[in-house]
Amino acid sequence: MPKLTPSLNWLLVFVPVSLVAEFVFHQPVAVFISSCIAIVPLAGLIGTATEHLADRTGPTVGGLLNATFGNVTELIIGVLLVWAGEFEVVKASLIGSILGNLVLVLGASYLAGGLRHIRDGQRFDAKAARTHSSSLLLAVVGMVMPAVFTLVALHETNAQTEVISLVVAGVLIVLYLAAGSGPPRRGSRATRARSGRRAGAPGARSSCCS
């Protein structure tokens, strides 16, 4: 008899429920509750997909993809709030997301990893750690620069602050794309597959005979 594994995918039924509550019954409370429940399995599917991508591309690109799709909810909410002019809510959402990822998620990961590898200790990929640390530092600098300009400049205008914010945002996006476009990590599945194809190609030298 096959073993049944617990799954939360059945909660996906709340996706059409939220759509019906929004467009048919126009019930904001029902939309909010059903959408919150539907996010749970969707987040799990996103995490599973990024794990498979990380297995093929390496921890650096996989970590960036995980960070991107893991925060897609905040990204969508932020875009909609900016479009609606709710800038203070966007700032609060960004602060909450940063604190949640840096304090709650990181601390829980360290705790779970320490309990899992309590005997042999945790091991981290040095390249991925450097990439994520540099990205975090650049993100902090990018968020601080407009605030410092507002505090230091004597006769700044909203247009000048917006220009600086747009320039910083563009630089951060370019750096993010540059960090995610690196070559696959040595030892990843994609690299091993290419090495295997080269080893099996006609005329390739075998390592045991070299």
Side-chain angles (χ1 to χ4, degrees):
M1 182 177 180
K3 183 179 179 180
L4 298 178
T5 57
S7 175
L8 295 177
N9 291 337
W10 63 272
L11 294 176
L12 290 172
V13 297
F14 285 94
V15 174
V17 169
S18 62
L19 295 176
V20 172
E22 169 67 20
F23 297 105
V24 177
F25 297 103
H26 305 287
Q27 295 292 330
V29 177
V31 173
F32 178 79
I33 295 175
S34 58
S35 299
C36 289
I37 298 175
I39 285 176
V40 176
L42 292 175
L45 293 176
I46 291 175
T48 303
T50 52
E51 287 177 1
H52 287 292
L53 288 175
D55 190 28
R56 293 181 175 273
T57 59
T60 302
V61 179
L64 292 174
L65 291 174
N66 192 11
T68 302
F69 291 104
N71 294 282
V72 68
T73 305
E74 289 85 351
L75 179 62
I76 295 174
I77 293 175
V79 171
L80 294 177
L81 289 175
V82 169
W83 187 266
E86 300 290 343
F87 301 110
E88 296 299 326
V89 181
V90 175
K91 294 178 183 178
S93 176
L94 288 175
I95 293 173
S97 178
I98 292 172
L99 291 178
N101 283 282
L102 291 182
V103 180
L104 177 61
V105 176
L106 186 61
S109 300
Y110 284 158
L111 177 61
L115 295 176
R116 175 65 176 82
H117 303 280
I118 192 171
R119 294 184 178 181
D120 53 351
Q122 298 187 69
R123 296 180 181 272
F124 301 93
D125 186 88
K127 181 180 178 181
R130 286 194 300 267
T131 301
H132 298 326
S133 300
S134 301
S135 301
L136 176 62
L137 179 61
L138 291 173
V140 171
V141 172
M143 294 187 65
V144 169
M145 283 183 62
V148 172
F149 174 78
T150 303
L151 294 175
V152 173
L154 298 178
H155 303 287
E156 83 281 355
T157 61
N158 291 332
Q160 293 175 338
T161 305
E162 290 179 0
V163 169
I164 293 178
S165 300
L166 290 174
V167 171
V168 172
V171 172
L172 291 178
I173 292 174
V174 171
L175 292 175
Y176 171 81
L177 295 176
S181 61
R185 176 180 176 269
R186 181 180 298 177
S188 64
R189 183 177 296 179
T191 307
R192 292 196 301 267
R194 286 197 297 268
S195 300
R197 287 195 296 268
R198 287 197 299 267
R205 296 177 60 186
S206 175
S207 59
C208 63
C209 301
S210 57

